[in-house]
Amino acid sequence: MGKINIRKILLAFADIFIIVISGIITNFLLSFVGFIGAEASRGLVYYIIIDLIMCLFALFVAGSYSRLWRYFNIKDYLSCGLAVVIGFALGYLVSFILGIPQRKIFILIYFVISLIGILLFRFMFKKAFLNLTEYGRLENCERTLIIGAGNAGRMILTEIENAKYDANSPTRKIIPVCFVDDDRTKLNSKIGGVPVVGTCPEIVKICDDYHIDSIIVAVPSCEEDEKRKILDYCSATECKIKVIPYLSELLFDKENVQLIAQAKEIKIEDLLGRKPIEFDKDEIEKLITGKVCMITGGGGSIGSELVRQIAKYSPKQIIIVDIYENNAYDIQQELVLEYGTNINLVTLISSVRDYEKMEVIFKKYRPQLVFHAAAHKHVPLMETVPEEAVKNNIFGTFNVANLSEFYNADKFVMISTDKAVNPTNVMGATKRACEMIIQYKAQHSSHTEFVTTRFGNVLGSNGSVIPLFRRQIESGSPVTVTHPDIIRYFMTIPEAVSLVLEAGAMAKGGEIFVLDMGAPVKITTLAENLIRMYGKVPYKDVPIVFTGLRPGEKLFEELLMNEEGLKSTENKKIFIGNQISIDEEDMLSKLEQLQEAACNNDSGKTVELLSRLVPTFNHKIN
């Protein structure tokens, strides 16, 4: 009795009503046309009662009162129909045994009307239930376009359907409006009642015509180039965008895979003009495992990622050196939370400009691998105080490089930038001077292998345009771009750090490793895409203001100087720039003069001497 609820009782009363009324209607029709007489009609009440009892019994046994309306499907309708057939057959048998006279035509029509009535009632009730539920669900729902009418798209439809009645599921707010797919054989067809209305190049028009609020990119097996084109189309709309990860990144359980729950917001790096770079983790593991690793600038965006990745390869010890205690503390606590006592971590607040302090550190910890990420990198700020860029970047690097050699570090890896190539700003010129110093050290070191890694702008790093753009968009301010035609090479922080580590593994001494970064990206396009990712319209919802090139800024950056050629490596995306001959005596003499000018805080003299040290330094705005 505990299992009998109001829904079952109502359904049973509905079946009773349908069966009784069907018998009365059948009797009336046959009596009206003269097929049965008064004698047969007198047994009507008994026959209806018997059929009613038998049908209710058969429906109950078949589980017809245990189904939820929302999940009623074709199998349930067939089961229900079979129960009615059995019920009427049992009713006929019992009536025959009791001697209740009925004509076969009455039994047949009575059965047909009852069967149609019972099934039709269930169908109409389900429709009414779903419509009422759907009406209550439509408020604040997202009209969604699904890209990809394949297996992933079908699975998403199933998830959406199953989530409709789960009040706690965020998926229940998704309304699948249409599909797009580049397979033209699927056009104008329907998948689960949802039409395939066009191809990917038509995404912007389709989103406008169908009033789409969000897009789900359900093509987990497509190639990177194809996926990027799709994301370019999507980013030109005002819709929210979610992407189903690649098949290799999807998490499966034993029974199924929930795709929507694993969908990710589109990231700005998804819009880069190249595939993510792959690196040789085995070689990196051989380099790091069991070694004492020092990371200068270990609290910065590049340095902290270096620390994270190095920690994965079981180093003997990690030494974080940084002058800014907040960043150093953050990465320290992050590693402590993740690894606990399983990591040997030392965090030291020190400046690479302080030779004596750095010597104390080297003497105590004897690092075998030194990753030099400490540097002033902000171009306009370094134009204002060039002597500080010189003190920190050039002579900080000189200090750490000399100590690495003196204390027999196995490898020294310096992080450089594409701004060091034909520099037009102080920061770039100081990094080119650092490259020269590292090449000089490589030519004279008997043990330590000195190497430089050079790459372009890093997405999300301190000083990158992306955090600035995000702050401007979120605060409602205009997005500022220096010039409409300015272009840059970009890579992600993990890519940059993996390059540093693999370069360290490859290094034999003196190389400048250069990453093939694909096509450069227009900063204006980057800003427009980022604005669209926030669901806003560039120039309408968020203005883009062009402020003019900053001091020392170029319209485009180069990765190689004219004198440098490229040699390939085992990694097809990593190349080695040829070493450029350096007049060592002349370089050391100019460094001595430059250090004196910087220590005297003579900005003008510092820039003048920096120009003499770095012949390619053209301190002008292009």
Side-chain angles (χ1 to χ4, degrees), residues 167-221:
N168 298 319
S169 173
T171 307
R172 73 187 300 269
K173 291 295 184 180
I174 297 175
I175 304 295
V177 175
C178 55
F179 282 97
V180 299
D181 198 295
D182 284 338
D183 183 354
R184 293 190 173 274
T185 62
K186 296 178 181 178
L187 294 182
N188 302 317
S189 63
K190 286 189 176 182
I191 298 175
V194 178
V196 182
V197 297
T199 58
C200 290
E202 303 172 90
I203 285 174
V204 175
K205 183 178 184 301
I206 289 170
C207 288
D208 186 53
D209 292 345
Y210 288 83
H211 307 290
I212 300 298
D213 300 311
S214 65
I215 299 172
I216 297 177
V217 182
V219 282
S221 59

Side-chain angles (χ1 to χ4, degrees), residues 211-472:
H211 307 290
I212 300 298
D213 300 311
S214 65
I215 299 172
I216 297 177
V217 182
V219 282
S221 59
C222 75
E223 293 294 327
E224 181 73 24
D225 291 341
E226 181 186 354
K227 184 176 181 180
R228 190 172 296 107
K229 287 181 183 178
I230 293 172
L231 293 179
D232 285 340
Y233 294 133
C234 294
S235 65
T237 71
E238 301 176 29
C239 303
K240 298 177 184 176
I241 305 166
K242 285 194 172 182
V243 182
I244 301 299
Y246 290 109
L247 286 174
S248 59
E249 299 173 356
L250 287 172
L251 300 177
F252 293 83
D253 60 29
K254 293 181 180 179
E255 296 180 357
N256 61 358
V257 55
Q258 296 293 318
L259 292 185
I260 297 178
Q262 298 186 59
K264 301 175 181 177
E265 300 287 345
I266 184 175
K267 298 178 289 187
I268 196 70
E269 50 262 41
D270 292 327
L271 303 175
L272 289 178
R274 56 171 178 76
K275 295 181 180 180
I277 308 302
E278 296 180 356
F279 297 90
D280 189 339
K281 293 183 179 179
D282 291 337
E283 289 300 315
I284 296 174
E285 185 174 14
K286 291 177 185 177
L287 172 70
I288 300 296
T289 302
K291 302 288 182 61
V292 178
C293 303
M294 174 188 285
I295 303 94
T296 67
S301 49
I302 300 296
S304 62
E305 180 64 21
L306 267 169
V307 172
R308 290 185 193 96
Q309 292 198 25
I310 288 171
K312 296 176 182 178
Y313 295 103
S314 303
K316 181 179 180 181
Q317 187 177 49
I318 295 178
I319 304 162
I320 298 173
V321 177
D322 203 297
I323 190 61
Y324 184 42
E325 70 274 19
N326 289 350
N327 283 349
Y329 177 78
D330 287 343
I331 186 61
Q332 178 198 51
Q333 293 305 303
E334 180 183 326
L335 292 185
V336 168
L337 284 173
E338 184 170 355
Y339 295 97
T341 58
N342 294 325
I343 188 169
N344 185 351
L345 179 66
V346 177
T347 305
L348 303 170
I349 305 303
S350 304
S351 172
V352 295
R353 293 159 61 163
D354 187 341
Y355 183 87
E356 287 74 19
K357 176 62 176 178
M358 292 304 299
E359 184 172 24
V360 170
I361 295 171
F362 270 85
K363 186 175 182 179
K364 180 177 181 179
Y365 295 101
R366 305 281 175 153
Q368 296 164 278
L369 302 175
V370 178
F371 298 92
H372 184 53
H376 288 322
K377 305 180 184 73
H378 200 284
V379 170
L381 291 182
M382 293 306 101
E383 293 299 303
T384 306
V385 283
E387 63 274 15
E388 295 304 312
V390 167
K391 293 174 190 176
N392 195 67
N393 294 2
I394 296 178
F395 294 104
T397 298
F398 210 4
N399 290 341
V400 180
N402 283 334
L403 289 167
S404 296
E405 182 183 20
F406 185 81
Y407 286 95
N408 290 320
D410 294 332
K411 298 200 179 190
F412 177 99
V413 182
M414 191 199 76
I415 297 172
S416 188
T417 169
D418 56 0
K419 293 177 176 63
V421 181
N422 300 319
T424 58
N425 54 69
V426 168
M427 193 282 283
T430 60
K431 296 301 280 186
R432 176 55 195 153
C434 292
E435 293 181 355
M436 295 166 64
I437 290 170
I438 298 309
Q439 286 189 318
Y440 160 72
K441 297 300 295 183
Q443 291 167 7
H444 290 81
S445 176
S446 59
H447 179 79
T448 306
E449 295 174 349
F450 288 89
V451 60
T452 297
T453 58
R454 184 192 291 165
F455 43 78
N457 295 270
V458 180
L459 289 172
S461 66
N462 296 332
S464 166
V465 295
I466 303 301
L468 172 62
F469 288 168
R470 289 189 185 278
R471 287 194 299 270
Q472 290 172 333

